PDB file of all heavy atoms in Angstrom:
ATOM      1  N   GLY A  27     -37.581  52.268 -55.133  1.00 54.00           N
ATOM      2  CA  GLY A  27     -37.609  52.881 -53.813  1.00 54.00           C
ATOM      3  C   GLY A  27     -36.453  53.816 -53.545  1.00 54.00           C
ATOM      4  O   GLY A  27     -36.390  54.441 -52.495  1.00 54.00           O
ATOM      5  N   LEU A  28     -35.522  53.953 -54.497  1.00 62.00           N
ATOM      6  CA  LEU A  28     -34.375  54.835 -54.318  1.00 62.00           C
ATOM      7  C   LEU A  28     -34.236  55.695 -55.571  1.00 62.00           C
ATOM      8  O   LEU A  28     -33.549  55.328 -56.516  1.00 62.00           O
ATOM      9  CB  LEU A  28     -33.103  54.019 -54.090  1.00 62.00           C
ATOM     10  CG  LEU A  28     -31.878  54.800 -53.627  1.00 62.00           C
ATOM     11  CD1 LEU A  28     -32.124  55.412 -52.256  1.00 62.00           C
ATOM     12  CD2 LEU A  28     -30.663  53.890 -53.578  1.00 62.00           C
ATOM     13  N   PRO A  29     -34.890  56.847 -55.613  1.00 74.00           N
ATOM     14  CA  PRO A  29     -34.917  57.646 -56.840  1.00 74.00           C
ATOM     15  C   PRO A  29     -33.560  58.258 -57.163  1.00 74.00           C
ATOM     16  O   PRO A  29     -32.700  58.426 -56.306  1.00 74.00           O
ATOM     17  CB  PRO A  29     -35.944  58.739 -56.504  1.00 74.00           C
ATOM     18  CG  PRO A  29     -35.913  58.844 -55.014  1.00 74.00           C
ATOM     19  CD  PRO A  29     -35.670  57.449 -54.519  1.00 74.00           C
ATOM     20  N   ALA A  30     -33.387  58.603 -58.427  1.00 80.00           N
ATOM     21  CA  ALA A  30     -32.145  59.228 -58.871  1.00 80.00           C
ATOM     22  C   ALA A  30     -31.911  60.571 -58.197  1.00 80.00           C
ATOM     23  O   ALA A  30     -30.794  61.072 -58.191  1.00 80.00           O
ATOM     24  CB  ALA A  30     -32.174  59.403 -60.390  1.00 80.00           C
ATOM     25  N   SER A  31     -32.957  61.151 -57.620  1.00 84.00           N
ATOM     26  CA  SER A  31     -32.784  62.409 -56.893  1.00 84.00           C
ATOM     27  C   SER A  31     -31.997  62.195 -55.604  1.00 84.00           C
ATOM     28  O   SER A  31     -31.542  63.155 -54.987  1.00 84.00           O
ATOM     29  CB  SER A  31     -34.152  63.006 -56.551  1.00 84.00           C
ATOM     30  OG  SER A  31     -34.903  62.111 -55.742  1.00 84.00           O
ATOM     31  N   CYS A  32     -31.813  60.932 -55.206  1.00 87.00           N
ATOM     32  CA  CYS A  32     -31.063  60.599 -53.988  1.00 87.00           C
ATOM     33  C   CYS A  32     -29.654  60.124 -54.326  1.00 87.00           C
ATOM     34  O   CYS A  32     -28.672  60.641 -53.792  1.00 87.00           O
ATOM     35  CB  CYS A  32     -31.820  59.531 -53.195  1.00 87.00           C
ATOM     36  SG  CYS A  32     -30.914  58.828 -51.803  1.00 87.00           S
ATOM     37  N   VAL A  33     -29.540  59.127 -55.196  1.00 89.00           N
ATOM     38  CA  VAL A  33     -28.234  58.581 -55.548  1.00 89.00           C
ATOM     39  C   VAL A  33     -28.254  58.100 -56.992  1.00 89.00           C
ATOM     40  O   VAL A  33     -29.267  57.591 -57.472  1.00 89.00           O
ATOM     41  CB  VAL A  33     -27.839  57.425 -54.601  1.00 89.00           C
ATOM     42  CG1 VAL A  33     -28.844  56.279 -54.674  1.00 89.00           C
ATOM     43  CG2 VAL A  33     -26.434  56.914 -54.885  1.00 89.00           C
ATOM     44  N   THR A  34     -27.161  58.293 -57.698  1.00 88.00           N
ATOM     45  CA  THR A  34     -27.036  57.789 -59.058  1.00 88.00           C
ATOM     46  C   THR A  34     -25.735  57.006 -59.178  1.00 88.00           C
ATOM     47  O   THR A  34     -24.784  57.249 -58.442  1.00 88.00           O
ATOM     48  CB  THR A  34     -27.015  58.934 -60.085  1.00 88.00           C
ATOM     49  OG1 THR A  34     -25.909  59.799 -59.808  1.00 88.00           O
ATOM     50  CG2 THR A  34     -28.305  59.732 -60.026  1.00 88.00           C
ATOM     51  N   TYR A  35     -25.713  56.062 -60.109  1.00 79.00           N
ATOM     52  CA  TYR A  35     -24.491  55.295 -60.328  1.00 79.00           C
ATOM     53  C   TYR A  35     -24.499  54.698 -61.719  1.00 79.00           C
ATOM     54  O   TYR A  35     -25.526  54.629 -62.389  1.00 79.00           O
ATOM     55  CB  TYR A  35     -24.312  54.201 -59.274  1.00 79.00           C
ATOM     56  CG  TYR A  35     -25.523  53.357 -59.065  1.00 79.00           C
ATOM     57  CD1 TYR A  35     -25.792  52.268 -59.884  1.00 79.00           C
ATOM     58  CD2 TYR A  35     -26.424  53.667 -58.047  1.00 79.00           C
ATOM     59  CE1 TYR A  35     -26.922  51.503 -59.684  1.00 79.00           C
ATOM     60  CE2 TYR A  35     -27.551  52.912 -57.848  1.00 79.00           C
ATOM     61  CZ  TYR A  35     -27.800  51.833 -58.668  1.00 79.00           C
ATOM     62  OH  TYR A  35     -28.932  51.081 -58.477  1.00 79.00           O
ATOM     63  N   GLU A  36     -23.326  54.297 -62.127  1.00 84.00           N
ATOM     64  CA  GLU A  36     -23.138  53.813 -63.491  1.00 84.00           C
ATOM     65  C   GLU A  36     -22.176  52.642 -63.437  1.00 84.00           C
ATOM     66  O   GLU A  36     -21.092  52.731 -62.865  1.00 84.00           O
ATOM     67  CB  GLU A  36     -22.549  54.941 -64.332  1.00 84.00           C
ATOM     68  CG  GLU A  36     -22.640  54.731 -65.810  1.00 84.00           C
ATOM     69  CD  GLU A  36     -22.117  55.949 -66.562  1.00 84.00           C
ATOM     70  OE1 GLU A  36     -22.124  57.052 -65.983  1.00 84.00           O
ATOM     71  OE2 GLU A  36     -21.691  55.756 -67.704  1.00 84.00           O
ATOM     72  N   LEU A  37     -22.587  51.519 -64.000  1.00 82.00           N
ATOM     73  CA  LEU A  37     -21.792  50.301 -63.970  1.00 82.00           C
ATOM     74  C   LEU A  37     -21.252  49.999 -65.363  1.00 82.00           C
ATOM     75  O   LEU A  37     -21.942  50.218 -66.356  1.00 82.00           O
ATOM     76  CB  LEU A  37     -22.652  49.135 -63.494  1.00 82.00           C
ATOM     77  CG  LEU A  37     -21.949  47.951 -62.829  1.00 82.00           C
ATOM     78  CD1 LEU A  37     -21.331  48.357 -61.511  1.00 82.00           C
ATOM     79  CD2 LEU A  37     -22.927  46.816 -62.637  1.00 82.00           C
ATOM     80  N   GLY A  38     -20.024  49.481 -65.437  1.00 89.00           N
ATOM     81  CA  GLY A  38     -19.446  49.173 -66.737  1.00 89.00           C
ATOM     82  C   GLY A  38     -18.816  47.792 -66.784  1.00 89.00           C
ATOM     83  O   GLY A  38     -18.267  47.314 -65.798  1.00 89.00           O
ATOM     84  N   GLY A  39     -18.902  47.143 -67.928  1.00 93.00           N
ATOM     85  CA  GLY A  39     -18.246  45.857 -68.127  1.00 93.00           C
ATOM     86  C   GLY A  39     -18.841  44.727 -67.310  1.00 93.00           C
ATOM     87  O   GLY A  39     -18.106  43.914 -66.747  1.00 93.00           O
ATOM     88  N   THR A  40     -20.177  44.617 -67.251  1.00 91.00           N
ATOM     89  CA  THR A  40     -20.815  43.557 -66.473  1.00 91.00           C
ATOM     90  C   THR A  40     -20.795  42.241 -67.237  1.00 91.00           C
ATOM     91  O   THR A  40     -20.843  42.207 -68.469  1.00 91.00           O
ATOM     92  CB  THR A  40     -22.271  43.918 -66.130  1.00 91.00           C
ATOM     93  OG1 THR A  40     -22.999  44.118 -67.341  1.00 91.00           O
ATOM     94  CG2 THR A  40     -22.327  45.173 -65.279  1.00 91.00           C
ATOM     95  N   GLN A  41     -20.732  41.163 -66.477  1.00 93.00           N
ATOM     96  CA  GLN A  41     -20.745  39.830 -67.068  1.00 93.00           C
ATOM     97  C   GLN A  41     -21.408  38.864 -66.098  1.00 93.00           C
ATOM     98  O   GLN A  41     -21.059  38.823 -64.912  1.00 93.00           O
ATOM     99  CB  GLN A  41     -19.328  39.364 -67.388  1.00 93.00           C
ATOM    100  CG  GLN A  41     -19.281  38.022 -68.101  1.00 93.00           C
ATOM    101  CD  GLN A  41     -17.871  37.657 -68.544  1.00 93.00           C
ATOM    102  OE1 GLN A  41     -16.957  38.482 -68.489  1.00 93.00           O
ATOM    103  NE2 GLN A  41     -17.698  36.417 -68.994  1.00 93.00           N
TER     104      GLN A  41
END
Side-chain angles (χ1 to χ4, degrees):
L28 191 64
S31 60
C32 171
V33 60
T34 60
Y35 49 84
E36 196 176 336
L37 206 66
T40 59
Q41 184 174 350

